[in-house]
Coordinates of all heavy atoms in Angstrom, one line a residue:
M1 N 88.5 13.3 1.1 CA 87.9 14.2 0.3 C 87.0 15.1 1.1 O 86.8 16.3 0.8 CB 87.1 13.4 -0.7 CG 86.7 14.1 -1.9 SD 88.2 14.7 -2.8 CE 87.5 15.8 -3.8
Y2 N 86.3 14.5 2.2 CA 85.5 15.3 3.0 C 86.2 16.4 3.8 O 85.7 17.4 4.0 CB 84.8 14.3 4.0 CG 83.6 14.9 4.8 CD1 82.5 15.4 4.1 CD2 83.5 14.8 6.1 CE1 81.5 16.0 4.8 CE2 82.4 15.3 6.8 CZ 81.4 15.9 6.1 OH 80.3 16.4 6.8
A3 N 87.4 16.1 4.2 CA 88.2 17.1 4.9 C 88.6 18.3 4.0 O 88.6 19.4 4.4 CB 89.5 16.5 5.4
V4 N 88.8 18.0 2.7 CA 89.1 19.1 1.7 C 87.8 20.0 1.5 O 87.9 21.2 1.5 CB 89.5 18.5 0.3 CG1 89.6 19.6 -0.7 CG2 90.8 17.8 0.5
V5 N 86.7 19.3 1.4 CA 85.4 20.1 1.3 C 85.2 21.0 2.5 O 84.8 22.1 2.4 CB 84.2 19.2 1.0 CG1 82.9 19.9 1.1 CG2 84.4 18.5 -0.3
L6 N 85.4 20.4 3.7 CA 85.2 21.2 4.9 C 86.3 22.3 5.1 O 86.0 23.3 5.6 CB 85.3 20.2 6.2 CG 84.0 19.4 6.4 CD1 84.3 18.5 7.5 CD2 82.8 20.2 6.5
G7 N 87.5 22.0 4.6 CA 88.5 23.1 4.5 C 88.1 24.2 3.6 O 88.3 25.4 4.0
I8 N 87.5 23.9 2.5 CA 87.0 25.0 1.6 C 85.9 25.8 2.3 O 85.8 27.0 2.2 CB 86.5 24.4 0.3 CG1 87.7 23.8 -0.5 CG2 85.8 25.4 -0.6 CD1 87.3 23.0 -1.7
V9 N 85.0 25.0 2.9 CA 83.9 25.7 3.6 C 84.4 26.6 4.8 O 83.9 27.7 4.9 CB 82.9 24.6 4.2 CG1 81.8 25.3 5.1 CG2 82.1 24.0 3.0
L10 N 85.4 26.1 5.5 CA 86.0 27.0 6.5 C 86.5 28.3 6.0 O 86.3 29.3 6.6 CB 87.0 26.1 7.3 CG 87.8 26.9 8.4 CD1 86.7 27.1 9.6 CD2 88.9 26.0 9.0
V11 N 87.3 28.2 4.9 CA 87.9 29.4 4.3 C 86.7 30.3 3.8 O 86.8 31.5 3.9 CB 88.9 29.0 3.2 CG1 89.3 30.2 2.5 CG2 90.1 28.3 3.8
Q12 N 85.7 29.7 3.2 CA 84.6 30.5 2.7 C 83.9 31.2 3.8 O 83.5 32.4 3.6 CB 83.6 29.6 1.9 CG 82.4 30.3 1.3 CD 82.8 31.3 0.3 OE1 83.7 31.1 -0.6 NE2 82.3 32.5 0.3
V13 N 83.6 30.6 4.9 CA 83.0 31.2 6.0 C 83.8 32.3 6.5 O 83.3 33.4 6.9 CB 82.7 30.1 7.1 CG1 82.3 30.9 8.5 CG2 81.6 29.2 6.7
F14 N 85.2 32.1 6.6 CA 86.1 33.2 7.1 C 86.0 34.4 6.1 O 85.9 35.5 6.5 CB 87.5 32.7 7.2 CG 88.5 33.7 7.5 CD1 88.5 34.2 8.8 CD2 89.4 34.2 6.6 CE1 89.5 35.3 9.1 CE2 90.3 35.2 6.9 CZ 90.4 35.7 8.2
Y15 N 86.0 34.1 4.8 CA 85.9 35.2 3.8 C 84.5 35.9 3.9 O 84.5 37.1 3.7 CB 86.1 34.6 2.4 CG 87.5 34.7 1.9 CD1 88.6 34.3 2.7 CD2 87.8 35.2 0.7 CE1 89.9 34.5 2.2 CE2 89.1 35.3 0.2 CZ 90.1 35.0 1.1 OH 91.4 35.1 0.6
F16 N 83.5 35.1 4.2 CA 82.2 35.8 4.2 C 82.1 36.8 5.4 O 81.6 37.9 5.2 CB 81.1 34.7 4.5 CG 79.7 35.3 4.7 CD1 79.0 35.7 3.6 CD2 79.2 35.3 5.9 CE1 77.7 36.3 3.8 CE2 77.9 35.9 6.2 CZ 77.2 36.3 5.0
F17 N 82.7 36.4 6.6 CA 82.7 37.3 7.7 C 83.6 38.4 7.6 O 83.4 39.5 8.2 CB 82.9 36.5 9.0 CG 81.6 35.8 9.5 CD1 81.6 34.5 9.5 CD2 80.5 36.5 9.9 CE1 80.4 33.8 9.9 CE2 79.4 35.9 10.3 CZ 79.3 34.5 10.3
T18 N 84.7 38.3 6.8 CA 85.6 39.4 6.7 C 85.2 40.3 5.5 O 85.9 41.4 5.3 CB 87.0 38.9 6.5 OG1 87.1 38.1 5.3 CG2 87.5 38.2 7.7
G19 N 84.3 39.9 4.7 CA 83.9 40.7 3.5 C 84.8 40.6 2.4 O 84.9 41.6 1.5
S20 N 85.6 39.6 2.3 CA 86.7 39.5 1.3 C 86.2 39.0 -0.1 O 86.9 39.1 -1.0 CB 87.8 38.7 1.8 OG 88.4 39.2 2.9
G21 N 85.1 38.4 -0.1 CA 84.6 37.9 -1.4 C 84.4 36.4 -1.3 O 84.0 35.8 -0.3
S22 N 84.7 35.8 -2.4 CA 84.4 34.4 -2.6 C 85.7 33.6 -2.6 O 86.8 34.1 -3.0 CB 83.7 34.1 -3.9 OG 83.5 32.7 -4.1
V23 N 85.6 32.3 -2.2 CA 86.8 31.5 -2.2 C 87.2 31.0 -3.6 O 88.3 30.5 -3.8 CB 86.5 30.3 -1.2 CG1 85.6 29.3 -1.9 CG2 87.8 29.6 -0.8
V24 N 86.3 31.2 -4.5 CA 86.6 30.8 -5.9 C 87.9 31.4 -6.5 O 88.6 30.8 -7.3 CB 85.4 31.0 -6.8 CG1 85.7 30.7 -8.2 CG2 84.2 30.2 -6.3
V25 N 88.1 32.7 -6.1 CA 89.3 33.4 -6.6 C 90.6 32.9 -6.1 O 91.7 33.1 -6.5 CB 89.2 34.9 -6.3 CG1 88.0 35.5 -7.0 CG2 89.1 35.2 -4.8
L26 N 90.5 32.0 -5.0 CA 91.7 31.4 -4.4 C 92.3 30.2 -5.1 O 93.3 29.7 -4.7 CB 91.5 31.2 -2.9 CG 91.2 32.4 -2.0 CD1 90.9 31.9 -0.6 CD2 92.4 33.3 -2.0
Y27 N 91.6 29.6 -6.0 CA 92.0 28.4 -6.6 C 93.3 28.5 -7.4 O 93.9 27.5 -7.7 CB 90.9 27.8 -7.5 CG 89.9 27.1 -6.6 CD1 88.7 27.7 -6.5 CD2 90.2 25.9 -6.0 CE1 87.7 27.0 -5.7 CE2 89.2 25.3 -5.2 CZ 88.0 25.8 -5.1 OH 87.0 25.2 -4.3
D28 N 93.8 29.7 -7.6 CA 95.2 29.8 -8.3 C 96.2 30.3 -7.2 O 97.4 30.5 -7.6 CB 95.1 30.8 -9.5 CG 94.7 32.2 -9.0 OD1 94.2 32.3 -7.9 OD2 94.8 33.1 -9.9
N29 N 95.8 30.4 -5.9 CA 96.7 30.8 -4.9 C 97.4 29.5 -4.3 O 96.7 28.6 -3.9 CB 96.0 31.5 -3.8 CG 96.8 32.1 -2.7 OD1 98.0 31.7 -2.6 ND2 96.3 33.1 -2.0
I30 N 98.7 29.6 -4.3 CA 99.5 28.4 -3.8 C 99.3 28.1 -2.3 O 99.3 27.0 -1.9 CB 101.0 28.5 -4.2 CG1 101.7 27.2 -4.0 CG2 101.6 29.6 -3.4 CD1 101.4 26.1 -4.9
L31 N 99.1 29.2 -1.5 CA 98.8 29.0 -0.1 C 97.5 28.3 0.2 O 97.4 27.4 1.0 CB 98.9 30.3 0.6 CG 100.3 31.0 0.7 CD1 100.2 32.3 1.4 CD2 101.3 30.0 1.4
F32 N 96.5 28.6 -0.6 CA 95.2 28.0 -0.4 C 95.3 26.6 -0.9 O 94.7 25.7 -0.2 CB 94.1 28.8 -1.3 CG 92.8 28.1 -1.2 CD1 92.1 28.1 0.0 CD2 92.2 27.5 -2.3 CE1 90.8 27.6 0.1 CE2 90.9 27.0 -2.3 CZ 90.3 27.0 -1.1
L33 N 96.0 26.3 -2.0 CA 96.1 24.9 -2.4 C 97.0 24.1 -1.4 O 96.6 22.9 -1.2 CB 96.7 24.8 -3.8 CG 95.8 25.4 -4.9 CD1 96.6 25.5 -6.2 CD2 94.5 24.8 -5.0
A34 N 97.9 24.7 -0.8 CA 98.7 24.0 0.2 C 97.8 23.7 1.5 O 97.9 22.6 2.1 CB 99.9 24.9 0.6
F35 N 97.0 24.7 1.8 CA 96.0 24.4 2.9 C 95.1 23.3 2.7 O 94.9 22.4 3.5 CB 95.2 25.7 3.2 CG 94.1 25.5 4.2 CD1 94.4 25.4 5.5 CD2 92.8 25.5 3.8 CE1 93.4 25.2 6.5 CE2 91.8 25.3 4.7 CZ 92.0 25.2 6.0
L36 N 94.6 23.2 1.5 CA 93.8 22.1 1.1 C 94.5 20.8 1.1 O 94.0 19.7 1.4 CB 93.1 22.3 -0.3 CG 92.1 23.4 -0.4 CD1 91.5 23.5 -1.8 CD2 91.0 23.3 0.7
G37 N 95.8 20.8 0.7 CA 96.7 19.6 0.7 C 96.9 19.1 2.1 O 96.8 18.0 2.4
V38 N 97.1 20.1 3.1 CA 97.2 19.8 4.5 C 95.9 19.2 5.0 O 96.0 18.1 5.7 CB 97.7 21.0 5.3 CG1 97.6 20.7 6.7 CG2 99.1 21.4 4.9
C39 N 94.8 19.7 4.6 CA 93.5 19.2 5.1 C 93.3 17.8 4.5 O 92.8 16.9 5.3 CB 92.4 20.1 4.5 SG 92.1 21.6 5.5
S40 N 93.7 17.5 3.3 CA 93.6 16.2 2.7 C 94.5 15.2 3.5 O 94.1 14.0 3.8 CB 93.8 16.2 1.3 OG 95.1 16.5 1.0
I41 N 95.7 15.6 3.7 CA 96.6 14.7 4.4 C 96.2 14.4 5.8 O 96.2 13.2 6.3 CB 98.1 15.2 4.4 CG1 98.6 15.2 2.9 CG2 99.0 14.4 5.3 CD1 99.9 16.0 2.7
L42 N 95.8 15.4 6.5 CA 95.3 15.2 7.9 C 94.0 14.4 8.0 O 93.8 13.6 8.9 CB 95.1 16.6 8.6 CG 96.4 17.3 9.0 CD1 96.1 18.6 9.6 CD2 97.2 16.4 10.0
G43 N 93.1 14.7 7.0 CA 91.9 13.9 6.9 C 92.2 12.4 6.6 O 91.5 11.6 7.2
W44 N 93.2 12.1 5.9 CA 93.6 10.8 5.6 C 94.3 10.1 6.8 O 94.0 9.0 7.1 CB 94.4 10.8 4.3 CG 94.9 9.4 3.9 CD1 94.1 8.3 3.7 CD2 96.2 9.0 3.6 NE1 94.9 7.2 3.3 CE2 96.2 7.7 3.2 CE3 97.5 9.7 3.5 CZ2 97.3 7.0 2.8 CZ3 98.6 9.0 3.2 CH2 98.5 7.6 2.8
I45 N 95.2 10.8 7.4 CA 96.0 10.2 8.5 C 95.2 10.2 9.8 O 95.1 9.1 10.4 CB 97.3 11.0 8.6 CG1 98.2 10.8 7.5 CG2 98.0 10.5 9.9 CD1 99.4 11.6 7.5
V46 N 94.7 11.3 10.2 CA 94.0 11.4 11.5 C 92.5 10.9 11.4 O 92.0 10.3 12.3 CB 94.0 12.9 12.0 CG1 93.4 13.0 13.4 CG2 95.5 13.3 12.1
G47 N 91.9 11.2 10.3 CA 90.5 10.7 10.1 C 89.4 11.4 10.8 O 89.4 12.7 10.6
D48 N 88.6 10.8 11.4 CA 87.4 11.3 12.0 C 87.6 12.4 12.9 O 86.8 13.4 13.0 CB 86.5 10.3 12.6 CG 85.9 9.3 11.6 OD1 85.7 9.8 10.4 OD2 85.5 8.2 11.9
S49 N 88.6 12.3 13.7 CA 88.9 13.4 14.7 C 89.2 14.7 14.1 O 88.8 15.8 14.6 CB 90.0 13.0 15.7 OG 91.2 12.8 15.0
F50 N 89.9 14.7 12.9 CA 90.2 16.0 12.2 C 88.9 16.5 11.6 O 88.7 17.7 11.6 CB 91.3 15.7 11.2 CG 91.7 17.0 10.4 CD1 92.3 18.0 11.0 CD2 91.3 17.1 9.1 CE1 92.6 19.1 10.3 CE2 91.6 18.2 8.3 CZ 92.2 19.2 8.9
I51 N 88.1 15.6 11.0 CA 86.9 16.1 10.4 C 85.9 16.7 11.4 O 85.3 17.7 11.3 CB 86.2 14.9 9.6 CG1 87.1 14.6 8.4 CG2 84.8 15.3 9.2 CD1 86.7 13.3 7.7
V52 N 85.9 16.1 12.6 CA 85.0 16.6 13.7 C 85.6 17.9 14.2 O 84.8 18.9 14.4 CB 85.0 15.6 14.9 CG1 84.4 16.2 16.2 CG2 84.2 14.4 14.5
W53 N 86.9 18.1 14.2 CA 87.5 19.4 14.6 C 87.1 20.5 13.5 O 86.8 21.6 13.9 CB 89.1 19.2 14.7 CG 89.7 20.6 15.0 CD1 89.8 21.1 16.2 CD2 90.3 21.4 14.0 NE1 90.5 22.3 16.1 CE2 90.8 22.5 14.8 CE3 90.5 21.4 12.7 CZ2 91.5 23.6 14.2 CZ3 91.2 22.4 12.1 CH2 91.7 23.5 12.8
L54 N 87.2 20.1 12.3 CA 86.9 21.1 11.2 C 85.4 21.5 11.4 O 85.0 22.7 11.3 CB 87.1 20.5 9.8 CG 88.5 20.6 9.2 CD1 88.6 19.9 7.9 CD2 88.9 22.0 9.1
K55 N 84.5 20.5 11.6 CA 83.1 20.9 11.8 C 82.9 21.8 13.0 O 82.1 22.7 12.9 CB 82.2 19.5 12.0 CG 82.1 18.8 10.8 CD 81.2 17.5 11.1 CE 81.0 16.6 9.9 NZ 80.3 15.4 10.3
D56 N 83.6 21.5 14.1 CA 83.5 22.4 15.3 C 84.0 23.8 14.9 O 83.4 24.8 15.4 CB 84.3 21.8 16.4 CG 83.6 20.6 17.0 OD1 82.4 20.3 16.7 OD2 84.4 19.8 17.7
E57 N 85.1 23.9 14.2 CA 85.6 25.3 13.9 C 84.6 26.0 13.0 O 84.4 27.2 13.2 CB 86.9 25.1 13.1 CG 88.1 24.8 14.0 CD 88.3 25.9 15.1 OE1 88.4 27.1 14.7 OE2 88.5 25.5 16.2
I58 N 83.9 25.3 12.0 CA 83.0 26.0 11.2 C 81.7 26.3 12.0 O 81.2 27.4 11.9 CB 82.6 25.0 10.1 CG1 83.7 24.9 9.1 CG2 81.3 25.6 9.3 CD1 83.5 23.8 8.1
G59 N 81.4 25.5 13.0 CA 80.2 25.8 13.9 C 80.5 26.9 14.8 O 79.6 27.6 15.3
N60 N 81.8 27.2 15.2 CA 82.1 28.3 16.1 C 81.8 29.6 15.4 O 81.6 30.6 16.2 CB 83.6 28.2 16.5 CG 83.9 27.1 17.4 OD1 83.0 26.7 18.1 ND2 85.1 26.8 17.6
W61 N 81.7 29.7 14.1 CA 81.4 31.0 13.5 C 79.9 31.3 13.6 O 79.6 32.4 13.2 CB 81.9 30.9 12.0 CG 83.3 31.0 11.9 CD1 84.1 29.9 11.8 CD2 84.2 32.1 11.9 NE1 85.4 30.3 11.7 CE2 85.5 31.7 11.7 CE3 83.9 33.5 11.9 CZ2 86.5 32.6 11.6 CZ3 85.0 34.3 11.8 CH2 86.3 33.8 11.7
K62 N 79.1 30.4 14.0 CA 77.6 30.6 14.1 C 77.0 31.1 12.8 O 76.2 32.0 12.8 CB 77.3 31.6 15.3 CG 77.9 31.3 16.6 CD 77.3 30.0 17.2 CE 77.8 29.8 18.6 NZ 78.2 28.5 18.9
F63 N 77.5 30.5 11.7 CA 77.0 30.9 10.4 C 75.7 30.3 10.1 O 74.8 31.0 9.5 CB 78.0 30.4 9.4 CG 77.7 30.8 8.0 CD1 77.8 32.2 7.6 CD2 77.4 29.9 7.0 CE1 77.5 32.6 6.3 CE2 77.1 30.3 5.7 CZ 77.2 31.6 5.4
W64 N 75.4 29.1 10.6 CA 74.0 28.5 10.3 C 73.4 28.2 11.6 O 73.7 28.2 12.6 CB 74.1 27.3 9.5 CG 75.4 26.6 9.5 CD1 75.9 25.7 10.4 CD2 76.5 26.7 8.5 NE1 77.1 25.3 10.0 CE2 77.5 25.9 8.8 CE3 76.6 27.5 7.3 CZ2 78.6 25.8 8.1 CZ3 77.7 27.3 6.6 CH2 78.7 26.5 7.0

């Protein structure tokens, strides 16, 4: 579940920097839902290393 939340945050940060709007409008997009599915599967199988990778990717944007 944590990997899905970090996946949403990663897409939201990307949308913020590109000026595309909010990630809320993507919840009916099949590609976004597939991305979240991949995040959940990788978070379940790979575990902590995938979550650490997601945190590093979000941190690379220097958003906070």
Side-chain angles (χ1 to χ4, degrees):
M1 199 63 193
Y2 193 53
V4 172
V5 171
L6 287 177
I8 292 170
V9 170
L10 180 65
V11 172
Q12 180 63 45
V13 168
F14 176 74
Y15 264 49
F16 176 77
F17 280 113
T18 60
S20 298
S22 177
V23 77
V24 175
V25 298
L26 292 177
Y27 281 106
D28 60 349
N29 187 339
I30 191 69
L31 293 176
F32 179 67
L33 295 177
F35 173 72
L36 292 183
V38 169
C39 283
S40 67
I41 290 170
L42 287 175
W44 180 48
I45 293 172
V46 181
D48 288 336
S49 61
F50 180 68
I51 292 172
V52 168
W53 178 81
L54 276 175
K55 285 181 185 178
D56 290 341
E57 285 298 313
I58 293 169
N60 286 340
W61 288 94
K62 306 292 186 225
F63 184 65
W64 21 84

